[in-house]
Amino acid sequence: METMEKSGRVHLPAKLVYFFAAGEAEGNAGMRNILGGKGANLAEMTSLGIPVPPGFTISTELCQAFYDNGEKLPTELRTAVEQALARVEAKIGKKFGDKTNPLLVSVRSGARASMPGMMDTILNLGLNDETVEGLAKSSGNPRFAWDSYRRFIHMYSDVVMGMNSSFLDVAMEDLKDEKGYKLDTELTADDLKILVVKFKKQVQDSTGQKFPTDPKEQLWGAIAAVFRSWNTPRAIAYRQLHNIPSAWGTGVSVQSMVFGNMGTDSATGVAFTRNPSTGENLFYGEYLINAQGEDVVAGIRTPIPILAAEAKRAGMVGESLEEKMPAAFKALVGTYERLEKYFRDMQDMEFTIERGVLWMLQTRTGKRTAKAALKIACDMIDEKLISVEEAILRIDPKSLDQLLHPTLDPKAKKTVLTKALPASPGGATGKIVFTSQDAVEAKERGEKTILVRIETSPEDILGMVSAQGILTSRGGMTSHAAVVARGMGKCCVAGAGDVAVDYTREEMRVAGYVLKRGDVVTLDGSTGEVFLGEVKMVEPELSGDFERIMKLADEKRTMRIRANADTPKDAIAARGFGAEGIGLCRTEHMFFGADRISAVREMIVAENRTEREAALDKLLPMQRADFLALFETMRGYPVTIRLLDPPLHEFVPHTDEETRELAKTLDMDFDKLRTRVKSLHEFNPMLGHRGCRLAITYPEIYQMQTRAIAEAAALRVKAGDKLIPEIMIPLVGTERELAILRELWSVKFLMCKKRPV
Amino acid sequence: MQKETGVKFDYLIGTMIELPRAALTADEIAGSADFFSFGTNDLTQTTLGLSRDDAGRFLATYVNEGIFAQDPFVSIDQEGVGKLVKMGVDLGRSVKSSLKVGVCGEHGGDPDSIQFFQKVGLDYVSCSPYRVPIARLAAAQAAITSRAGGAAGSGMH
């Protein structure tokens, strides 16, 4: 390290950049650690002969080098990038920065673990006032060229120059209003030229910098920005949420552009090889004609289903890719089938169709809900695509939590406000909030919220974590809100076009209702319905896929699974979930019951053993009944009962008022009682008079508990159960403690007076 | 007690291992115990000298700074607390090979911790009822990967 700092050099790997183009990919799918998921799969797809625009990926190891180098690109990297770029130019027959037929590139992030939408992307890079003319001529489509240019300035100024791009949105909306347009696609080439001039001026006014015209300078800026986006607050928050080490870094893929915005024979879209929400084995995707990738994912326009049947269901008959571009659709179907078979898992793909020709821009293992994960795992076992072990290993155990949460009671009375896309399943009720900040603050106060947004952006991630559910008025099943919510297992209803969201008035209008911030709504992420007020929830019904995977898991595991359960109610739930016994029954919880707390207190404040035993005599039948119920519920399974653990002061009154009342109940002198209660105070109760230390000093307590266990067990054994009660002593630090307590039961216990069972 | 009730039945008396001293002297304690149950919530508190109820103010900083890889109350601190668990298991079984050993505490339902408990050779984990399915699946994954790891390991020799 020291020599490195002295020489001012940073550690660089042997190979900095990995080229890919038909027939010559230097990387492969196994290299995701250094190429990132995106780079590795682009290389792999290229090797498979799937059409992928040529490009190269900068190793994730350069991310750390970039930071070590004071957030500057190492010179060696510039050289390697220039060499790789020359290879791309040779492959395509276009030159970067060329005035007649320019090569444009996209610059995109890609880490080892997928972090959808968390890092930055720049498209259409390489445009300036001269190359745009060249692009207009070479494509024969000036509108497309200028549309690409205004997109580039918008994205670059936002991502690289750190400008608030909403200024540019306003300029564009103003122009549309002036011209009386509704859609972006109505803007003409001349309109877009005006817009480009306005954009550039705005950039200079806001940032004090001229928009860079040199394509190389643009490229260095974009690569650095992608590296920097690894450490934006939203990316850091996402990494923490998903336990992704910050040392991994992101790769950068620089790829020749293909254009989905070249006219009505061009399109862009996102597709899943199976439904990511339900797991159904049905190709699922959305696309937009004459658009670029960010239009689909950012929810700017609501995309159209790829399949004809889905489009019909959504009321867009004839609009699907299947109907509009049958040849490209067929190519896409062939490609997805190959990719899924090859990677043997559900894939999430991005594609672009340029003048009728399909290009793949990405494939990755698709994020899915727990329900979908189980269904896909079961289906793939049946399709003999994966083994049982693989199926088990693929399901994130923590995601099962989603299935165990309550869902809406189908029998409850409901007022439906609207029905939109079921983007992520589950039920959620909460107060409406319109900002992530409000959701975060409400959570700190312990309040449940529904985050209502026109669309979400990566800045909303903390709000999405804090809210119970998410409702958006724009965007499809592949929008940011939908993808992120599914990843979190959070309920989400997306694209609710009937909901008019007004941020400034903090209200939403739907179905004749005006709902303000703080009003309560309920979402059903499985049907896409939104309801007024709170709707009753019921325990979930576990699917056949769930049972099947659980059974397969049970056959593979070697450890037993028990549950911590203090009451028969807990025990029943535990059995329902497949627990094979109780590993911890905390008896102290039994002491707090309304019918017994006064006996417990009487025992605690007792002055001598006789008094203490008299109080314990009252508790014995109650404890016996507790254990009996537990043994009955857990018939045939082991039950471990932990004897009293917490310090006694936890059971006594804390205020004079309560003490006075207790004195009355116990017919005791108030001052005397108060002194006794005070004497129980400890400075460090966790390390104080608790656990087996109680029993060493007051053996009667554990004696009573043991007796209750024994008597309850005897009754069950008499009734024919096979039962081996397990008595557990807490907070043992020495062998002697345990030996004394064992002795206590074998000898002294028998001297207690005999009680009828 | 069996005499009194007139019914004969077996019972086990075991101990929680939740103090470092208990783990360190597990061979002695095993002489008087029929089973061990690691109370990893308290064992984490007592090993790290860290009160769970008071850790909120700085725990996030500790995780962000990489001082703790994860919240040690969510996922067991394998190098520290985990070492005591392993020592407890090994010492206990060195004098009583039949000793039944489990864990009860939040870690019993945490997949990463379950992976560790499999490696250490616990007989069971116990967690809250709602986490039982998570634990069943995580235990299966732990068994599969430890088998695969074992096979790969032996193949290397």
Side-chain angles (χ1 to χ4, degrees):
Chain A
M1 280 299 285
E2 213 169 78
T3 48
M4 243 172 57
E5 277 169 23
K6 266 182 200 156
S7 65
R9 291 184 62 87
V10 292
H11 169 76
L12 292 175
K15 193 164 169 54
L16 311 183
V17 160
Y18 293 75
F19 180 74
F20 57 87
E24 43 183 318
E26 294 174 343
N28 62 57
M31 295 167 71
R32 58 187 306 131
N33 289 3
I34 56 168
L35 294 183
K38 186 179 288 150
N41 283 354
L42 283 174
E44 191 75 23
M45 279 198 290
T46 304
S47 296
L48 288 172
I50 287 168
V52 172
F56 55 89
T57 301
I58 301 170
S59 161
T60 57
E61 296 160 294
L62 266 302
C63 190
Q64 190 57 51
F66 169 76
Y67 284 101
D68 291 344
N69 198 35
E71 301 199 12
K72 286 193 191 72
L73 301 175
T75 321
E76 295 88 336
L77 177 63
R78 290 173 187 246
T79 312
V81 165
E82 279 167 354
Q83 284 165 358
L85 195 60
R87 287 176 77 181
V88 176
E89 289 173 335
K91 203 82 198 175
I92 303 200
K94 292 181 188 177
K95 278 206 166 308
F96 193 56
D98 189 72
K99 285 171 201 164
T100 52
N101 190 15
L103 167 69
L104 302 192
V105 297
S106 65
V107 180
R108 307 168 78 194
S109 61
R112 200 189 295 192
S114 159
M115 295 168 60
M118 286 304 126
M119 288 178 296
D120 287 327
T121 289
I122 297 110
L123 304 179
N124 307 308
L125 189 137
L127 281 172
N128 57 31
D129 292 350
E130 290 172 327
T131 55
V132 72
E133 298 288 0
L135 184 66
K137 267 196 212 102
S138 64
S139 65
N141 186 343
R143 190 205 174 272
F144 146 73
W146 288 95
D147 183 49
S148 301
Y149 196 15
R150 69 92 191 160
R151 286 170 184 275
F152 172 56
I153 298 171
H154 190 286
M155 227 177 214
Y156 194 92
S157 60
D158 173 23
V159 171
V160 183
M161 304 175 78
M163 179 183 147
N164 180 352
S165 60
S166 62
F167 290 123
L168 305 185
D169 294 330
V170 171
M172 182 148 137
E173 289 306 313
D174 284 351
L175 185 67
K176 276 162 67 186
D177 285 348
E178 196 187 310
K179 299 273 177 178
Y181 301 151
K182 265 183 78 181
L183 301 173
D184 296 0
T185 43
E186 290 174 72
L187 291 163
T188 65
D190 288 335
D191 295 334
L192 291 161
K193 269 185 203 175
I194 296 169
L195 213 49
V196 161
V197 175
K198 284 192 178 165
F199 273 21
K200 284 198 296 190
K201 184 172 179 311
Q202 185 70 59
V203 170
Q204 187 154 10
D205 291 349
S206 302
T207 65
Q209 284 172 282
K210 259 198 145 72
F211 191 83
T213 53
D214 175 11
K216 281 273 170 64
E217 189 191 330
Q218 294 173 355
L219 182 59
W220 305 135
I223 293 171
V226 170
F227 282 143
R228 278 199 305 272
S229 73
W230 177 250
N231 275 337
T232 56
R234 71 189 193 216
I236 292 170
Y238 187 92
R239 285 206 294 274
Q240 279 166 2
L241 203 63
H242 293 88
N243 271 323
I244 299 171
S246 64
W248 282 1
T250 181
V252 184
S253 288
V254 178
Q255 201 175 7
S256 48
M257 283 292 298
V258 285
F259 299 95
N261 58 333
M262 256 196 186
T264 51
D265 57 353
S266 300
T268 186
V270 177
F272 293 89
T273 58
R274 301 183 189 218
N275 187 307
S277 191
T278 64
E280 200 186 355
N281 187 3
L282 196 66
F283 186 46
Y284 186 88
E286 294 169 329
Y287 84 117
L288 281 172
I289 287 181
N290 200 8
Q292 282 198 339
E294 77 270 19
D295 299 349
V296 182
V297 201
I300 291 167
R301 277 157 67 187
T302 295
I304 298 155
I306 285 176
L307 293 184
E310 293 278 338
K312 193 174 164 192
R313 209 179 310 166
M316 301 184 213
V317 181
E319 298 292 315
S320 71
L321 183 72
E322 188 175 358
E323 292 150 299
K324 287 272 187 189
M325 301 183 187
F329 173 76
K330 218 178 132 203
L332 181 62
V333 168
T335 304
Y336 99 72
E337 284 174 346
R338 264 187 83 189
L339 285 174
E340 189 181 274
K341 279 219 175 71
Y342 185 77
F343 287 107
R344 303 189 310 131
D345 202 350
M346 188 266 271
Q347 296 294 298
D348 164 1
M349 303 162 302
E350 287 176 25
F351 63 91
T352 283
I353 297 162
E354 182 184 289
R355 292 190 167 154
V357 178
L358 174 74
W359 294 92
M360 299 307 292
L361 302 182
Q362 163 144 308
T363 190
R364 59 184 166 191
T365 300
K367 298 235 180 265
R368 63 203 77 178
T369 64
K371 187 182 169 196
L374 291 169
K375 169 135 184 68
I376 290 170
C378 287
D379 286 352
M380 287 190 171
I381 294 174
D382 295 339
E383 293 159 23
K384 304 215 171 0
L385 206 56
I386 58 174
S387 68
V388 169
E389 282 85 356
E390 276 179 289
I392 289 171
L393 289 175
R394 273 196 191 167
I395 296 159
D396 174 10
K398 284 181 190 158
S399 75
L400 296 179
D401 210 25
Q402 292 171 28
L403 303 172
L404 309 174
H405 283 312
T407 54
L408 298 192
D409 182 354
K411 286 184 229 130
K413 263 182 72 181
K414 300 180 258 255
T415 309
V416 183
L417 293 173
T418 185
K419 189 169 178 204
L421 297 172
S424 182
T429 292
K431 292 181 178 171
I432 295 172
V433 291
F434 294 99
T435 67
S436 284
Q437 184 67 27
D438 280 352
V440 171
E441 282 168 13
K443 190 176 181 201
E444 281 163 7
R445 291 192 300 270
E447 286 175 21
K448 294 181 171 176
T449 58
I450 301 293
L451 178 63
V452 179
R453 301 285 298 166
I454 295 174
E455 63 217 3
T456 62
S457 73
E459 275 73 29
D460 291 318
I461 185 132
L462 289 176
M464 295 173 78
V465 174
S466 304
Q468 298 292 305
I470 297 128
L471 170 64
T472 65
S473 61
R474 263 198 272 178
M477 290 290 283
T478 52
S479 63
H480 177 266
V483 171
V484 174
R486 280 196 295 271
M488 290 178 184
K490 193 140 285 192
C491 160
C492 176
V493 173
D498 296 344
V499 178
V501 179
D502 187 334
Y503 290 142
T504 42
R505 306 177 94 163
E506 297 197 303
E507 62 181 40
M508 62 179 236
R509 290 165 187 267
V510 57
Y513 291 91
V514 179
L515 300 171
K516 297 262 179 203
R517 184 174 80 150
D519 289 344
V520 174
V521 290
T522 298
L523 306 182
D524 186 340
S526 310
T527 63
E529 287 168 299
V530 182
F531 304 102
L532 185 66
E534 186 174 345
V535 177
K536 212 181 130 210
M537 304 273 179
V538 289
E539 289 301 312
E541 266 190 45
L542 297 171
S543 70
D545 296 326
F546 176 87
E547 294 296 345
R548 182 171 167 199
I549 292 288
M550 281 296 135
K551 250 184 139 160
L552 292 172
D554 289 345
E555 287 164 16
K556 297 288 172 195
R557 71 183 155 83
T558 53
M559 279 194 292
R560 296 260 169 209
I561 309 298
R562 297 195 193 182
N564 302 343
D566 304 340
T567 64
K569 195 172 153 242
D570 290 348
I572 289 167
R575 282 292 305 125
F577 288 127
E580 298 161 301
I582 291 176
L584 176 66
C585 164
R586 308 173 195 84
T587 51
E588 53 268 23
H589 290 185
M590 298 167 170
F591 280 27
F592 281 107
D595 54 338
R596 43 192 87 174
I597 185 70
S598 68
V600 172
R601 287 170 167 173
E602 198 179 318
M603 179 263 294
I604 292 168
V605 299
E607 301 220 310
N608 54 52
R609 185 179 174 137
T610 321
E611 274 180 40
R612 202 155 37 240
E613 279 181 348
L616 285 166
D617 272 351
K618 293 184 197 165
L619 286 170
L620 177 70
M622 299 187 222
Q623 281 262 276
R624 186 174 57 219
D626 292 333
F627 298 138
L628 195 58
L630 214 50
F631 290 149
E632 272 171 353
T633 313
M634 296 306 288
R635 207 171 291 179
Y637 292 96
V639 176
T640 305
I641 295 165
R642 181 176 76 187
L643 303 183
L644 196 68
D645 185 28
L648 295 179
H649 76 88
E650 282 193 15
F651 299 98
V652 296
H654 298 287
T655 64
D656 277 357
E657 197 60 35
E658 287 173 317
T659 310
R660 206 177 302 275
E661 211 146 285
L662 180 64
K664 227 173 96 249
T665 322
L666 298 181
D667 197 18
M668 251 181 103
D669 178 56
F670 167 70
D671 289 321
K672 214 169 130 191
L673 180 62
R674 194 169 67 163
T675 313
R676 175 79 182 115
V677 167
K678 282 220 166 117
S679 74
L680 290 169
H681 171 79
E682 292 180 306
F683 288 104
N684 232 328
M686 225 259 319
L687 304 176
H689 194 187
R690 56 168 281 218
C692 69
R693 297 164 192 171
L694 285 173
I696 299 288
T697 44
Y698 303 122
E700 311 78 48
I701 301 174
Y702 277 17
Q703 281 175 334
M704 180 279 288
Q705 289 197 295
T706 317
R707 183 173 198 103
I709 293 168
E711 290 177 357
L715 284 173
R716 288 315 310 162
V717 171
K718 236 185 226 168
D721 284 1
K722 270 184 76 177
L723 176 74
I724 305 174
E726 300 177 356
I727 298 166
M728 184 157 79
I729 319 295
L731 213 74
V732 167
T734 71
E735 186 273 336
R736 189 82 192 114
E737 284 167 321
L738 200 56
I740 289 173
L741 293 174
R742 273 197 105 110
E743 180 83 351
L744 196 71
W745 290 311
S746 53
V747 184
K748 291 191 184 164
F749 181 76
L750 295 176
M751 289 158 53
C752 292
K753 63 177 189 265
K754 195 168 169 159
R755 294 173 176 88
V757 174
Chain B
M1 49 181 117
Q2 300 180 6
K3 229 186 264 170
E4 280 181 57
T5 53
V7 187
K8 256 192 107 142
F9 61 89
D10 292 324
Y11 62 92
L12 303 176
I13 293 180
T15 176
M16 297 210 37
I17 304 285
E18 49 192 339
L19 297 175
R21 193 184 191 285
L24 293 167
T25 61
D27 46 350
E28 290 172 22
I29 291 175
S32 297
D34 301 319
F35 66 90
F36 283 174
S37 179
F38 288 88
T40 51
N41 292 348
D42 270 355
L43 189 60
T44 299
Q45 298 202 83
T46 53
T47 301
L48 297 176
L50 178 67
S51 151
R52 177 158 64 164
D53 301 325
D54 300 310
R57 250 170 258 156
F58 56 88
L59 200 53
T61 312
Y62 264 56
V63 173
N64 291 345
E65 294 289 324
I67 299 170
F68 291 157
Q70 284 190 64
D71 178 343
F73 294 108
V74 172
S75 202
I76 195 163
D77 158 38
Q78 297 188 12
E79 295 77 23
V81 179
K83 200 172 193 174
L84 284 171
V85 172
K86 180 169 176 12
M87 186 183 286
V89 173
D90 293 347
L91 285 175
R93 289 207 177 126
S94 72
V95 296
K96 196 179 274 181
S97 59
S98 64
L99 190 73
K100 194 154 70 159
V101 182
V103 64
C104 60
E106 295 304 309
H107 298 117
D110 170 64
D112 292 341
S113 306
I114 289 172
Q115 197 89 32
F116 175 78
F117 296 141
Q118 170 88 29
K119 251 192 296 190
V120 173
L122 296 196
D123 297 303
Y124 71 88
V125 298
S126 186
C127 57
S128 73
Y130 279 86
R131 303 191 94 182
V132 165
I134 296 173
R136 285 164 72 193
L137 183 59
Q141 294 182 342
I144 291 168
T145 49
S146 76
R147 266 198 292 271
S154 62
M156 303 262 289
H157 291 294

